[in-house]
Amino acid sequence: MLEVHLESKRVTVRKAPLPRTREGFARIRMLAAGICSTDIQLQRGYYGFAGTPGHEFAGEVVNINGSSEDQAAWMGQRVAGEINLACTHCEWCSRGLGRHCPRRTVLGIVKHPGAFREFLTLPIRNLHRIPDGLSTERAVFIEPVAAACEILDQVKIKMDDRVAVLGDGKLGLLITQVLAAHGAEVRLFGRHREKMRLVEGPQVTTEIPGKKLPEREFPIVVDATGSADGLRRAIGMCVPRGIVVMKSTVHGVVPIDTAPAIVNEITLIGSRCGRFEPAIRLLSSGRVRVDRFISSEYPLDRAAEAFRRAASKGVLKVLLRPPE
């Protein structure tokens, strides 16, 4: 099979043997996979990564190493997969926090080859069926929409609560839609009018800020800028005793003056992966719309070109497909 390999900031495509399906695992044929900001950061040196990236995908189960019940339930199914492979028996796993298992591997990020290959493997317990009415292309967004939904599991947001979202990249646009679908009054701050138009609606207003952002105005602020300066700006926009949700992962150390957060007693919440079930419901119902987010599609053997396109200004989502 073909797989993408990242190393020393280079994107190459190489031949590799089919992955072995371990006990309790499924082998999945990749149908479509999305290049996200994390993949771009991995290419640039985040985590010192070397290997096959990719964690946003939709695929078809082609092999199961499990019980006859598992075989009957999963063979031939279209699936998405949760990216954290937990040990299942430590204290964190026993508390239902497998996403924070200290021995976990992470699809396409930490010690488990990712979805940018013709075939990948995941534990059967990580799989979620893609409903018949949800297209393969839209299903690629299940994982990032789940990450946006995680905010609602972490922060109590009431109907008509005022929330600021900083950043009009892919994740910022998804977060805006998820919070608006929940009933929040969202103000999205970004730099690209054409991107922000994709999510404008009754619950969403957008703004290209000038040199100065609003100060001490929002009870909840989400930093999805992906920039080293985003957290500082989010703290400045938050009211005293408000909440800042941190959604950006940035390669390198982020310098920040903590005094404003301490003096104003602001709660900082790191936010990462989320549950797939609400994401699947939002995408299936059309309450989160992603069709216009797809900028380009490339076959797997043109991955280097796809990565260049994904890193280009103004591009939202680039999909990889199996080789033609």
Side-chain angles (χ1 to χ4, degrees), residues 124 143 160 213 229 269 319:
I124 297 168
E143 195 278 334
D160 298 323
L213 286 161
D229 196 44
I269 298 180
L319 299 187

Side-chain angles (χ1 to χ4, degrees), residues 165-177 188 224:
V165 176
L166 293 184
D168 58 8
K170 298 174 283 290
L171 185 55
L173 297 176
L174 293 176
I175 289 169
T176 296
Q177 290 192 80
L188 172 64

Side-chain angles (χ1 to χ4, degrees), residues 60-111:
E60 178 188 1
V61 176
V62 295
N63 183 256
I64 289 282
N65 187 348
S67 66
S68 55
E69 290 81 4
D70 288 333
Q71 296 271 353
W74 292 105
M75 280 295 295
Q77 295 289 322
R78 281 190 315 146
V79 296
E82 299 198 29
I83 71 174
N84 294 283
L85 287 73
C87 77
T88 73
H89 54 262
C90 70
E91 177 187 352
W92 292 95
C93 290
S94 67
R95 292 166 54 189
L97 294 171
R99 280 177 272 165
H100 297 284
C101 169
R103 290 188 285 273
R104 74 186 183 279
T105 58
V106 184
L107 179 70
I109 301 173
V110 182
K111 298 180 180 178

Side-chain angles (χ1 to χ4, degrees), residues 27-28 36 38 50 63 93 97 113 154 158 168 187 201 213 220 223-224 227 244 263 277 288 291 308 312:
R27 182 189 295 158
I28 302 154
C36 82
T38 299
N63 183 256
C93 290
L97 294 171
Q154 295 176 293
K158 303 185 295 295
D168 58 8
R187 190 155 187 82
L213 286 161
I220 302 167
D223 171 27
S227 72
V244 170
V263 170
E277 293 85 356
V288 169
D291 291 324
R308 287 193 295 272
S312 300

Side-chain angles (χ1 to χ4, degrees), residues 113-153:
F116 296 166
R117 58 205 323 232
E118 290 187 78
F119 296 92
L120 63 141
T121 63
L122 275 177
I124 297 168
R125 64 178 179 273
N126 284 46
L127 302 183
H128 293 261
R129 287 181 186 83
I130 297 171
D132 290 340
L134 185 59
S135 71
T136 295
E137 294 77 17
R138 284 185 289 148
V140 171
F141 289 84
I142 290 172
E143 195 278 334
V145 172
C149 290
E150 175 70 357
I151 295 171
L152 297 175
D153 282 347

Side-chain angles (χ1 to χ4, degrees), residues 30-304:
M30 186 268 281
L31 298 175
I35 300 175
C36 82
S37 298
T38 299
D39 300 313
I40 301 298
Q41 291 287 339
L42 292 176
Q43 182 192 4
R44 293 171 178 170
Y46 182 56
Y47 271 137
F49 181 84
T52 299
H55 54 274
E56 301 177 4
F57 78 94
E60 178 188 1
V61 176
V62 295
N63 183 256
I64 289 282
N65 187 348
S67 66
S68 55
E69 290 81 4
D70 288 333
Q71 296 271 353
W74 292 105
M75 280 295 295
Q77 295 289 322
R78 281 190 315 146
V79 296
E82 299 198 29
I83 71 174
N84 294 283
L85 287 73
C87 77
T88 73
H89 54 262
C90 70
E91 177 187 352
W92 292 95
C93 290
S94 67
R95 292 166 54 189
L97 294 171
R99 280 177 272 165
H100 297 284
C101 169
R103 290 188 285 273
R104 74 186 183 279
T105 58
V106 184
L107 179 70
I109 301 173
V110 182
K111 298 180 180 178
H112 191 86
F116 296 166
R117 58 205 323 232
E118 290 187 78
F119 296 92
L120 63 141
T121 63
L122 275 177
I124 297 168
R125 64 178 179 273
N126 284 46
L127 302 183
H128 293 261
R129 287 181 186 83
I130 297 171
D132 290 340
L134 185 59
S135 71
T136 295
E137 294 77 17
R138 284 185 289 148
V140 171
F141 289 84
I142 290 172
E143 195 278 334
V145 172
C149 290
E150 175 70 357
I151 295 171
L152 297 175
D153 282 347
Q154 295 176 293
V155 181
K156 186 176 181 180
I157 299 177
K158 303 185 295 295
M159 292 281 289
D160 298 323
D161 271 354
R162 296 177 65 245
V163 182
V165 176
L166 293 184
D168 58 8
K170 298 174 283 290
L171 185 55
L173 297 176
L174 293 176
I175 289 169
T176 296
Q177 290 192 80
V178 166
L179 298 183
H182 183 70
E185 181 184 321
V186 184
R187 190 155 187 82
L188 172 64
F189 294 84
R191 298 178 179 176
H192 309 92
R193 179 65 63 193
E194 67 280 3
K195 287 185 180 181
M196 294 192 290
R197 285 197 187 102
L198 297 175
V199 297
E200 287 178 340
Q203 296 292 122
V204 178
T205 56
T206 62
E207 181 177 332
I208 297 177
K211 292 182 179 180
K212 197 171 184 180
L213 286 161
E215 294 182 3
R216 294 163 60 111
E217 185 172 323
F218 295 91
I220 302 167
V221 183
V222 181
D223 171 27
T225 60
S227 72
D229 196 44
L231 179 57
R232 180 191 64 80
R233 290 184 287 161
I235 290 171
M237 295 175 65
C238 193
V239 301
R241 292 206 168 182
I243 295 171
V244 170
V245 180
M246 300 180 290
K247 273 293 188 183
S248 293
T249 52
V250 181
H251 175 50
V253 176
V254 176
I256 184 169
D257 177 9
T258 58
I262 295 168
V263 170
N264 292 313
E265 299 181 320
I266 291 170
T267 299
L268 305 180
I269 298 180
S271 185
R272 187 169 155 263
C273 303
R275 296 181 296 118
F276 275 34
E277 293 85 356
I280 291 171
R281 289 195 295 270
L282 285 169
L283 286 164
S284 297
S285 67
R287 296 176 74 194
V288 169
R289 304 180 308 276
V290 296
D291 291 324
R292 291 197 291 167
F293 285 20
I294 299 172
S295 301
S296 305
E297 297 187 14
Y298 291 84
L300 199 60
D301 51 358
R302 293 171 60 194

